[in-house]
Amino acid sequence: MRKDFLKTAVLGAVASLLVGTVALPAQAGEKWDMPMAYAATNFHSATGAEFAKCVTTGTGGEIEIVTHPSGSLFNGADIKRAVQTGQAPIGERLLSAHQNENAVFGFDSVPFLATSFEDADKLWKAAKPVISETLDKQNLHLLYAVPWPPQGLYFKKEVNSVDDMKGIKFRSYNSATARLAELTGMLPVQIEAAEISQAFATGVAESMISSGSTGYDRKVWESLTHFYEVDAWLPRNYVFVNKDVWEGLGDGEKNIIDGCAGLAEYAGTWRAVEYTQFTLNGLRANGMIVQKAGDTLKGQLQDIGVTMTTEWLESAGDQGKSIVESYQAMQ
């Protein structure tokens, strides 16, 4: 059994003790369908399932959360809108996927701003008040957020410089990745997580920037050959609830959900840390070449990161500036 699941088991026991002390009486309640974009085996989906169980148990069944991974209920791109409009009461989505509607959502995808779990945690603390306020204005209430492992580059050939990347079809998942493709001469193709394996198998995409976790979960070694560790950023998935639904809850229900959300954020983050090396080892074991980016490629990517940081600060305005300044004050 992997260490991350051992840790989750311990946290699950703690959660059981927590909800056991505050659980509401068991009764027939309402069902909350929770759409999620990633496969059930992905650690974000597993964390979400544990959160759902925690809430269901803690409320004595008054609120039963049922997760729907792999975009099975709503496509990833439609989840946020579905929760905003009340088609689903709760959901999970990649936060930076909304950067095209508001640049502030891309704070966690600014290249080389926060490249470790420790720094990503500080950046989240700096950004959380802004993100919460922004979501509140969109009829959404933030519950918790969990980081992905550091992002690296996947290819089906050896790549030593940006020149080697020109013309490659590149899977993008947010504005930052699309812009990265443009600046490196690659061709961005918008592809949701559930479609990654098929996209690589059919040649729709030939490369991507993502974590070892995504590559491992989607078995990309069947189509790709190289993974370069560049630790570009650590994006976050977040779980959110419709604001009208949230405000209709009693204080006891809110307290239970908040408690479960806090446990989920802790457990999910711990799992991300532990999963990082495990998945990189898994890529190697399945035949991929996993290595640090060479000095030339890393230097060129950092130059591109400076350009993208400047662009993001301009588009995010005062909110973006306040996030970065607050983050830098913690360093």
Side-chain angles (χ1 to χ4, degrees), residues 101-329:
E101 65 178 74
N102 188 330
V104 74
F105 287 126
F107 77 92
D108 59 5
S109 297
V110 178
F112 307 109
L113 177 60
T115 60
S116 67
F117 283 102
E118 181 180 2
D119 284 346
D121 180 63
K122 293 175 182 176
L123 183 58
W124 175 233
K125 289 178 180 177
K128 187 176 180 179
V130 175
I131 297 299
S132 297
E133 181 182 357
T134 302
L135 291 172
D136 183 77
K137 294 177 180 177
Q138 298 181 342
N139 200 41
L140 296 171
H141 176 77
L142 173 68
L143 291 178
Y144 72 88
V146 170
W148 286 89
Q151 304 290 281
L153 285 163
Y154 289 87
F155 295 100
K156 60 190 303 182
K157 67 173 186 177
E158 181 179 347
V159 170
N160 296 308
S161 69
V162 167
D163 287 341
D164 296 333
M165 299 161 68
K166 296 188 185 302
I168 291 177
K169 289 178 282 187
F170 180 81
R171 177 244 172 175
S172 65
Y173 59 78
N174 59 17
S175 298
T177 52
R179 182 58 175 151
L180 177 64
E182 293 172 0
L183 292 171
T184 55
M186 294 189 288
L187 307 174
V189 183
Q190 183 74 28
I191 298 171
E192 285 293 329
E195 303 164 351
I196 287 176
S197 299
Q198 182 179 4
F200 287 131
T202 58
V204 172
E206 304 167 300
S207 174
M208 69 175 176
I209 187 168
S210 194
S211 67
S213 171
T214 298
Y216 181 81
D217 289 343
R218 308 312 303 184
K219 300 180 179 180
V220 299
W221 52 80
E222 296 176 352
S223 302
L224 307 179
T225 59
H226 289 69
F227 178 82
Y228 292 96
E229 298 175 65
V230 296
D231 296 347
W233 59 77
L234 288 78
R236 286 180 177 267
N237 278 17
Y238 74 118
V239 170
F240 48 98
V241 63
N242 178 279
K243 182 180 174 181
D244 295 329
V245 170
W246 178 255
E247 292 183 342
L249 298 175
D251 289 342
E253 294 166 322
K254 289 180 179 178
N255 288 338
I256 289 169
I257 294 173
D258 279 338
C260 292
L263 284 169
E265 184 164 310
Y266 180 87
T269 301
W270 197 96
R271 181 179 268 159
V273 173
E274 290 298 304
Y275 211 41
T276 299
Q277 193 58 50
F278 173 85
T279 54
L280 294 184
N281 291 342
L283 295 178
R284 287 191 183 94
N286 284 282
M288 291 194 72
I289 296 173
V290 178
Q291 61 189 49
K292 299 284 187 182
D295 291 342
T296 298
L297 178 58
K298 186 172 182 180
Q300 291 173 330
L301 291 173
Q302 288 177 334
D303 288 342
I304 289 172
V306 172
T307 298
M308 292 178 63
T309 299
T310 300
E311 292 175 347
W312 181 79
L313 285 170
E314 290 176 353
S315 58
D318 291 340
Q319 285 185 317
K321 182 180 179 181
S322 69
I323 290 173
V324 172
E325 289 179 347
S326 178
Y327 165 67
Q328 291 175 337

